[in-house]
Amino acid sequence: MIRCAFYLAPDGQLSDQLSMEQVRDFLATGEGLLWVDMEDVTNEDAEFLSNVFSFHPLAVADCLSKDIHPPKIDDFEKYLFIIGHGINYQIESDVVETTELALFLGKNYVVTSHDVPMRSVSSMLDRVRKDERLMRKGADFLAHDIMDALVDNIMPTIEGIDEKDDQLEAEALHEPKRETLTSIMQLKRSILALTRVILPQREIMNGLSRGQYALISERAQIYYRNIYDHLVRIEMLTLGLRDMTESVLNTYLSSVSNRMNEVMK
């Protein structure tokens, strides 16, 4: 369903909570900037994307599907179709899970689609309502701001894993328990989930920042480069956490082995 739809007219007036008919009418003008955000896309929404925006059936199918798709970018000349991943904060789990954000970027529109509420999108919706100037710089800058928020929301999870690693290291050294091993393996799975999506997402931003796509203005490219730099840093932190978790696992196994030796003696 359409969660929210904004239209910034050429005169700077911002319209909010547009109907499907209004979206169709504003899009037909070819002027201003339109942002449509969809959550939990239905068959009716898929028809709307196909009929009104004329998106490729494969891209629409990706939005409709509940399967997990890797980060990617498809160039359909008149628009770009980007799939990025952020942290799924809507579930309570000991293992980090990511969730998809599908984004269509056209000359004068941005369409976002996701299955669950996303902090990055919600924060951008609130920011636009408070300051319509965020949409005045164009569709490529709006898409940048959304992707930037998506990447920024990964950092709290990285910091949480780092703190958990320190805690588990102390447990593994002084009081190793079966629950400690379970927690270590959960951290390994969390880090693996992050590693899977960060590298391809980094390459997407690298392409967007190097003039490979006509829809990204030269003025906006440097801002996409900034997201790329953030992802490089996140990748380095994630690799460091992976090595640290392996070290914690070795510490745990060594501590358990030493205790068994003491018992045997």
Side-chain angles (χ1 to χ4, degrees):
M1 64 177 181
I2 294 182
R3 182 185 179 198
C4 188
F6 293 110
Y7 176 69
L8 184 70
D11 62 3
Q13 182 178 354
L14 182 68
S15 301
D16 191 357
Q17 301 298 339
L18 307 178
S19 65
M20 287 188 174
E21 291 74 18
Q22 288 176 308
V23 171
R24 182 183 292 105
D25 293 341
F26 286 135
L27 181 65
T29 66
E31 300 178 340
L33 178 57
L34 187 67
W35 177 19
V36 178
D37 179 58
M38 291 185 166
E39 186 176 304
D40 195 16
V41 173
T42 63
N43 289 325
E44 181 183 0
D45 297 327
E47 290 181 9
F48 176 76
L49 293 174
S50 298
N51 298 333
V52 175
F53 289 91
S54 300
F55 292 146
H56 194 281
L58 291 177
V60 174
D62 283 347
C63 295
L64 189 61
S65 172
K66 302 301 179 184
D67 296 335
I68 302 299
H69 305 92
K72 67 173 184 176
I73 181 167
D74 294 327
D75 188 354
F76 292 98
E77 294 187 2
K78 291 185 177 180
Y79 61 90
L80 298 176
F81 178 59
I82 304 169
I83 290 182
H85 279 247
I87 303 300
N88 188 349
Y89 288 105
Q90 300 303 311
I91 60 170
E92 294 184 4
S93 173
D94 293 322
V95 178
V96 171
E97 292 191 23
T98 62
T99 187
E100 290 180 28
L101 174 67
L103 187 148
F104 295 89
L105 169 61
K107 183 178 179 180
N108 68 321
Y109 63 79
V110 172
V111 177
T112 48
S113 169
H114 42 98
D115 291 336
V116 298
M118 300 187 71
R119 289 184 181 180
S120 52
V121 177
S122 297
S123 64
M124 275 302 301
L125 291 173
D126 291 339
R127 288 175 61 193
V128 169
R129 288 191 177 101
K130 293 176 182 177
D131 188 358
E132 73 280 356
R133 289 177 297 180
L134 291 172
M135 293 183 63
R136 290 182 183 176
K137 293 181 289 184
D140 52 355
F141 275 92
L142 176 60
H144 160 270
D145 290 344
I146 296 170
M147 297 300 294
D148 189 38
L150 185 75
V151 171
D152 284 346
N153 277 323
I154 297 176
M155 282 306 299
T157 297
I158 297 289
E159 293 168 357
I161 292 176
D162 190 19
E163 292 176 3
K164 187 68 174 177
D165 253 331
D166 290 340
Q167 175 189 337
L168 290 175
E169 185 176 30
E171 287 183 15
L173 188 60
H174 302 293
E175 192 178 353
K177 298 175 290 188
R178 183 175 295 274
E179 291 80 6
T180 305
L181 178 60
T182 300
S183 296
I184 293 172
M185 299 311 296
Q186 288 171 345
L187 274 191
K188 286 173 66 69
R189 289 171 57 193
S190 296
I191 293 170
L192 179 61
L194 287 172
T195 304
R196 279 199 202 102
V197 299
I198 288 171
L199 181 58
Q201 206 151 291
R202 186 195 71 184
E203 292 310 306
I204 289 172
M205 293 305 147
N206 188 37
L208 291 169
S209 69
R210 292 185 177 275
Q212 294 182 14
Y213 305 100
L215 286 168
I216 306 299
S217 64
E218 186 174 350
R219 190 165 56 99
Q221 288 171 17
I222 190 171
Y223 292 92
Y224 283 94
R225 185 69 185 181
N226 189 52
I227 301 179
Y228 170 82
D229 291 341
H230 287 173
L231 285 168
V232 169
R233 179 169 178 265
I234 289 173
E235 183 184 15
M236 292 177 63
L237 290 172
T238 304
L239 293 176
L241 289 173
R242 184 188 65 183
D243 293 342
M244 185 184 298
T245 304
E246 286 291 341
S247 175
V248 172
L249 177 59
N250 291 333
T251 299
Y252 171 85
L253 295 175
S254 177
S255 295
V256 170
S257 178
N258 290 337
R259 288 197 172 200
M260 289 184 63
N261 288 338
E262 290 296 324
V263 171
M264 293 300 292
K265 288 179 181 180

